[in-house]
Every structure is written in C-alpha cells, then in structure tokens.
Amino acid sequence: MSCPTSTFEPKFPIEASPSLGCTARRQAEDMSIRGFFSHRNPDGDGPLERAGQAGFRGIVGENLAWGQATVADVISAWLASPEHCEAMASDRYRLGGAGRAVSARGRNYWTLMLGAEGQASGP
C-alpha cells in the first residue's frame, strides 16, 4: 500500500467489529445532527471514550471526512492524506468499522474506526 509519504507491505485483512461499526455510525450521525466536525464531540468525548461506550476495549484510531459523495471518493481522500493513509495501513489495527450519515442539508459525514482489542491505549 502506498501512502503519500510512505509505502507499506501488505498486512492482514481488517476484520469487521460490531462495536467499532456502531461507534463509527454514531459519530457520523452525531456530527451530521449537531453540525460539528471533530474527533472530539461537543460533550468532550473522543474516539477512545466513544468506542468504550460501545463496549470496545483496546486501542483505536479514527478517520473522519465530510462532503464526499461516495465510498470511493472518501477512500481516495483518505489515501491522499499521509496521516489518514498511514492509519489505514498501520499494523497496529486488526479491527474496523465504518459509518456514514447525511445531514439535513444533504452533506455526507464519514467515520472509519480502527482498533485492536486488549492493547493499552495512550502513551
């Protein structure tokens, strides 16, 4: 996998995680309804807290996007961004879930949650 600043060897496939999928869908929906675009919601909860509320225990990463019309468009945008691409290529993550919500104005909000269970989070 090639990212703008790095090339990564192929890795194991990401497995679907119901709790990360739920977290991703809720974040996309929350952003679309409350009109914010941030890894931290207006209540102060970040990806780790939100994943924990859905029952996930481990490390997490999150990619956000808004405005792209299709899944292909949002994946292309993430692949063009070094930080987002490297998160998707990281061998730290083995699980994932994605979500999309459409605001009242018709704008798409996208969230990709990545994670690995049972690993310590933070520095």
Side-chain angles (χ1 to χ4, degrees):
M1 175 177 204
S2 290
C3 294
T5 58
S6 304
T7 299
F8 296 87
E9 293 297 318
K11 66 173 189 172
F12 44 84
I14 295 291
E15 293 181 36
S17 163
S19 58
L20 291 178
C22 179
T23 303
R25 287 187 300 278
R26 286 180 180 169
Q27 174 68 356
E29 190 173 277
D30 193 22
M31 290 188 300
S32 75
I33 291 169
R34 296 205 276 176
F36 71 96
F37 183 73
S38 175
H39 293 287
R40 195 158 294 283
N41 68 26
D43 302 322
D45 295 328
L48 184 62
E49 292 87 5
R50 289 184 276 102
Q53 291 164 6
F56 188 83
R57 301 291 178 258
I59 62 168
V60 297
E62 177 179 72
N63 283 358
L64 302 177
W66 65 272
Q68 292 82 2
T70 67
V71 171
D73 292 340
V74 76
I75 295 296
S76 291
W78 284 333
L79 289 174
S81 162
E83 184 176 298
H84 293 99
C85 186
E86 289 174 16
M88 292 190 303
S90 173
D91 62 3
R92 291 180 52 170
Y93 305 122
R94 299 188 179 270
L95 302 168
R100 171 186 166 250
V102 182
S103 72
R105 293 183 174 181
R107 179 174 288 152
N108 287 314
Y109 287 82
W110 304 88
T111 304
L112 173 65
M113 293 294 300
L114 299 163
E117 291 180 315
Q119 296 184 27
S121 217

